[in-house]
């Protein structure tokens, strides 16, 4: 799996709105911890979780699907830049199809989430792709490198 460091930096530096698919309302879950971290670092988090649709997670309205989230944000002249996926590998393909359809700039599959057919499809559609990595960990590394550069 190609994990280009430049792609990681590009996604972290250029994304402002991140849809977190599979975001749990439970604060002890990795998806919640990562999303809260990203939110504290200036990203707008858009929760996507059909079981929690219509509620609020981390102060943001939760949507059942990426498509519904993108439509609601379009009314605010906002778009989803990055789709951060906390789902089982075998459930990724339809999420990637939605990410392509809403014209997200990239997808990020969390640690342990690997679906090469889906990531190949996303790349072929022009999306940036990172898989089997954690946005929180990579963001912390990127920030530390920025701080070192001064």
């Amino acid at each position: 799996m190609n994990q280009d460091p430049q792609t990681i930096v590009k996604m972290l530096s250029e994304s402002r709105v991140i849809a977190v698919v599979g975001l749990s309302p439970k604060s002890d879950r990795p998806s919640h911890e990562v999303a809260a971290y990203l939110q504290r670092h200036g990203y707008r988090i858009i929760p996507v979780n059909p079981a929690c649709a219509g509620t609020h997670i981390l102060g943001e309205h939760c949507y059942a699907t990426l498509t519904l989230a993108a439509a609601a944000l379009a009314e605010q002249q906002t778009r989803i830049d990055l789709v951060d996926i906390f789902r089982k590998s075998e459930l990724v393909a339809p999420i990637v199809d939605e990410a392509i359809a809403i014209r997200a700039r990239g997808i990020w599959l969390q640690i342990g989430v690997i679906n090469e057919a889906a990531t190949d499809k996303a790349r072929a559609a022009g999306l940036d792709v990172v898989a089997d990595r954690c946005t929180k960990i990579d963001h912390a590394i990127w920030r530390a490198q920025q701080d070192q550069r001064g």
Side-chain angles (χ1 to χ4, degrees), residues 21 85-96 113-115 118:
V21 179
I85 303 173
F86 282 88
R87 301 292 289 141
K88 292 179 180 176
S89 299
E90 60 270 18
L91 302 176
V92 168
I95 299 164
V96 168
V113 182
I114 301 166
N115 184 320

Side-chain angles (χ1 to χ4, degrees), residues 20-42:
V20 182
V21 179
L23 178 54
S24 174
K26 298 176 184 173
S27 60
D28 63 336
R29 299 298 302 239
S31 63
H32 193 281
E33 180 186 336
V34 169
Y37 169 90
L38 293 170
Q39 196 176 54
R40 286 192 306 273
H41 285 87

Side-chain angles (χ1 to χ4, degrees), residues 7-16 18 38 43 82 108 135 138-140 142:
T7 299
I8 292 169
V9 169
K10 176 184 175 195
M11 292 170 83
L12 293 172
S13 64
E14 294 180 4
S15 297
R16 300 286 20 113
I18 302 174
L38 293 170
Y43 298 95
L82 179 61
W108 192 300
T135 44
D138 281 326
H139 183 270
W142 173 60

